[in-house]
């Protein structure tokens, strides 16, 4: 039974990862079927769908048989999945670092590089916006504070939460992490906002500077 027929007859949960990817890939190319291309993609990532989800269109296109259009379709599929996951926690209320982790973990889960985000909070603790500020590393020099506070004023934020990730899984809080946090905390005090926490995401968990008494 072909994957599309199996999807209709038995439901999507009955399909293997390779069959689901084959549906996305479509008709294949000259010399390679959709199943063969899907198998090659899974070989490239050692069978990891999470790894595929984190791949850029350029990296996907480096896999034999995957062109730019197919790479974009695969990327769009995983982005839809991430957005659907966020909707399950639509406008959550932030009271603890665990709440921060739950709210932003779908964005951080598949990253193999550092990103810096800000959660903007209403006085009730409700998330007004998730704002990605920078990619490629966390440092005071890399952060455009104007971007953060312009958005905070526009949204009427009462507080913000800083978030960035350690893809390596490092549990250490660096001096640069602390310095950048202190600079933003000082700016918050000057401009009338509250810095609620700085949460560092690691695979499967988090570090809260507020909980560690470093805020």
């Amino acid at each position: 039974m072909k994957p599309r027929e199996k999807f209709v007859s038995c439901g999507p949960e009955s399909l293997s990862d390779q069959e689901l990817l084959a549906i996305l890939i479509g008709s294949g190319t000259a010399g390679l079927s959709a199943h063969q291309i899907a198998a090659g993609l899974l070989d490239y990532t050692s069978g990891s769908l999470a790894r595929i989800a984190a791949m850029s269109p350029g990296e996907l296109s480096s896999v034999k048989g995957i062109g730019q259009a197919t790479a974009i379709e695969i990327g769009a599929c995983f982005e839809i999945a991430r957005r659907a996951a966020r909707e399950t926690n639509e406008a959550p209320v932030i009271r603890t670092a665990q709440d921060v982790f739950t709210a932003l973990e779908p964005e951080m889960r598949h990253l193999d590089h550092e990103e810096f985000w800000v959660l903007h909070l209403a006085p009730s603790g409700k998330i007004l916006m998730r704002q990605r500020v920078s990619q490629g590393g966390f440092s005071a020099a890399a952060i455009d504070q104007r971007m953060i506070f312009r958005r905070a004023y526009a949204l009427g934020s009462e507080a913000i939460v800083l978030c960035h990730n350690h893809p390596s899984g490092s549990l250490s809080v660096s001096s640069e992490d602390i310095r950048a946090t202190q600079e933003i905390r000082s700016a918050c005090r000057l401009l009338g906002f509250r810095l609620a926490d700085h949460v560092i995401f690691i695979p499967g968990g988090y570090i809260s500077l507020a909980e560690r008494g470093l805020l």
Side-chain angles (χ1 to χ4, degrees):
M1 185 182 295
K2 294 181 178 180
R4 292 177 186 273
E5 296 171 354
K6 188 176 179 181
F7 188 103
V8 173
S9 299
C10 306
E13 66 280 356
S14 69
L15 275 68
S16 67
D17 293 347
Q18 182 175 328
E19 289 172 323
L20 289 168
L21 288 169
I23 289 175
L24 281 177
I25 291 165
S27 59
T29 62
L32 285 175
S33 68
H35 269 285
Q36 289 171 322
I37 297 169
L41 180 56
L42 288 167
D43 285 343
Y44 182 86
T45 62
S46 300
S48 172
L49 290 177
R51 176 73 181 88
I52 296 172
M55 292 169 70
S56 67
E59 188 176 5
L60 284 164
S61 297
S62 71
V63 177
K64 188 175 182 180
I66 297 181
Q68 184 180 45
T70 300
I72 291 170
E73 288 174 5
I74 293 172
C77 175
F78 281 105
E79 178 60 24
I80 288 169
R82 283 189 286 268
R83 294 185 185 189
R86 287 201 302 270
E87 284 183 10
T88 62
N89 284 312
E90 190 66 31
V93 173
I94 300 299
R95 296 188 177 91
T96 66
Q98 178 63 52
D99 294 336
V100 175
F101 177 78
T102 300
L104 204 55
E105 194 268 343
E107 303 287 355
M108 298 291 199
R109 180 185 306 157
H110 303 301
L111 297 179
D112 58 2
H113 59 277
E114 285 195 19
E115 291 193 356
F116 173 53
W117 290 67
V118 171
L119 298 183
H120 293 269
L121 306 182
S124 64
K126 179 180 176 180
I127 293 180
L128 299 173
M129 183 181 181
R130 301 167 175 84
Q131 179 188 20
R132 181 165 58 188
V133 177
S134 67
Q135 302 180 62
F138 176 77
S139 69
I143 298 167
D144 185 348
Q145 293 189 25
R146 293 170 301 176
M147 181 188 301
I148 298 171
F149 294 117
R150 276 200 301 264
R151 190 58 53 85
Y153 277 119
L155 293 168
S157 305
E158 186 272 333
I160 64 172
V161 179
L162 309 181
C163 304
H164 83 281
N165 63 315
H166 285 174
S168 66
S170 172
L171 295 171
S172 64
V173 179
S174 70
S175 59
E176 183 60 39
D177 292 339
I178 295 172
R179 185 171 73 88
T181 303
Q182 291 174 341
E183 287 192 11
I184 295 175
R185 182 184 61 185
S186 296
C188 282
R189 288 174 174 172
L190 181 65
L191 297 171
F193 300 103
R194 179 172 62 89
L195 179 59
D197 201 348
H198 181 174
V199 177
I200 301 172
F201 286 67
I202 59 174
Y206 64 89
I207 303 161
S208 164
L209 270 65
E211 291 178 356
R212 290 196 177 188
L214 298 173
L215 197 61

